[in-house]
Amino acid sequence: MPFLGVNIDHVATVRQARRTIEPDPAWAVVLAELGGADGITIHLREDRRHIQDRDVKVVLEVAQVPVNLELAAEDEITQIALETKPHKVCLVPEKREEVTTEGGLDVVGNYDRVQKCASQLMDAGIEVSLFIDPAIKQVEAAHKMGVQAVELHTGSYAEATSSREIEKELQALIKAGRVATELNLLLNMGHGLTYRNVKPVAEIEGVHEFNIGHSIIARAIMVGLEQAVREMKALVTR
Ligand code: PXP
């Protein structure tokens, strides 16, 4: 059964809009778990626009399920992971001006830099995943590096509008996913997945984990987080 990692960044986004103390991401941890979350994901961005350093510590203390910390493959931020020791780290590319993570990590083009961060984290016993576009050469580079997992960027699939384009993006996820599982990499998926578009991705053979944030938190504003998580869990469960 696929593992649902609930990304709670946007609970912190609401708090940071007023620089106040509510809502606390710790509350979201508890409710997401009650709704069936198998894991909690948070992204400590360089500009600290939502999750703060303090949240990483609190979320790790409160969560009873594994915590996945998304981080840019940079030295300073890798140090925070080495100090706080989340269960997993997903290395992502990051630009300050972007609204959200816009593309996958270019593992091929930045091999040495990514490897430096990944091996420090793996040596500390942290499971490492690389967030990459569904391109076979990126999957192969991740395998060469020896990380445990890849997370395929589902953003292009999510943004596709015509049925031809959607099918093309889905096929790219299927093909890259097949290579990843053949190479014994854990196959994760994330970015831009919603209640409307997740089902075809959930049907891809061998998906280990989904990381979904914005859509769940958006729905949670209307129906509550526990229910929003429960509904997404039902959709990703085959
Ligand atoms: N996976 C990764 C690596 C991400 O960077 C993000 C966004 O922080 C997500 C998953 C979740 O994306 P969304 O909020 O669009 O569900």
Side-chain angles (χ1 to χ4, degrees):
M1 204 163 75
F3 180 107
L4 176 62
V6 176
N7 181 317
I8 57 170
D9 290 348
H10 296 313
V11 173
T13 302
V14 175
R15 179 193 60 195
Q16 294 311 108
R18 282 288 178 95
R19 305 271 191 280
T20 174
I21 56 165
E22 62 180 9
D24 195 305
W27 308 344
V29 170
V30 177
L31 292 171
E33 285 183 16
L34 289 171
D38 302 297
I40 298 293
T41 294
I42 47 179
H43 186 168
L44 185 67
R45 293 189 76 99
E46 219 189 331
D47 64 7
R48 307 296 196 270
R49 72 175 73 149
H50 38 56
I51 294 294
Q52 306 296 303
D53 295 54
R54 165 261 180 209
D55 297 328
V56 177
K57 296 193 188 95
V58 174
V59 165
L60 275 162
E61 247 174 56
V62 173
Q64 299 298 309
V65 292
V67 174
N68 174 33
L69 185 59
E70 295 174 351
L71 295 175
E74 306 288 346
D75 281 344
E76 184 221 317
I77 212 125
T78 304
Q79 281 312 314
I80 296 175
L82 292 170
E83 281 156 26
T84 53
K85 293 231 164 51
H87 306 89
K88 315 178 199 182
V89 163
C90 180
L91 293 176
V92 302
E94 203 174 291
K95 290 196 235 84
R96 271 182 185 256
E97 63 276 16
E98 68 193 359
V99 176
T100 181
T101 316
E102 280 165 5
L105 197 57
D106 179 6
V107 186
V108 178
N110 299 286
Y111 194 88
D112 293 344
R113 184 165 62 85
V114 177
Q115 185 177 41
K116 188 172 163 227
C117 292
S119 42
Q120 280 180 301
L121 294 163
M122 287 189 289
D123 288 349
I126 299 169
E127 181 182 308
V128 174
S129 161
L130 303 182
F131 184 53
I132 55 173
D133 289 331
I136 289 167
K137 63 177 185 179
Q138 299 293 349
V139 176
E140 288 171 343
H143 172 250
K144 182 174 156 206
M145 199 173 286
V147 296
Q148 291 93 340
V150 286
E151 180 168 323
L152 298 186
H153 194 315
T154 48
S156 299
Y157 161 77
E159 279 161 26
T161 47
S162 68
S163 47
R164 211 169 122 246
E165 213 188 327
I166 293 170
E167 187 53 31
K168 182 179 144 245
E169 297 300 339
L170 193 59
Q171 287 305 320
L173 293 169
I174 292 170
K175 280 191 198 136
R178 193 176 302 134
V179 175
T181 51
E182 280 167 8
L183 292 172
N184 288 322
L185 284 159
L186 294 172
L187 174 61
N188 303 339
M189 299 277 182
H191 211 284
L193 294 173
T194 69
Y195 295 86
R196 290 190 180 87
N197 67 22
V198 76
K199 205 75 196 155
V201 183
E203 277 158 15
I204 296 176
E205 208 54 54
V207 180
H208 171 70
E209 174 176 323
F210 290 90
N211 280 303
I212 307 179
H214 185 267
S215 191
I216 294 177
I217 303 303
R219 183 150 179 76
I221 293 170
M222 303 299 158
V223 302
L225 186 56
E226 209 179 318
Q227 188 179 329
V229 171
R230 197 171 292 121
E231 289 173 17
M232 187 59 86
K233 182 87 189 268
L235 287 173
V236 301
T237 303
R238 296 209 290 158

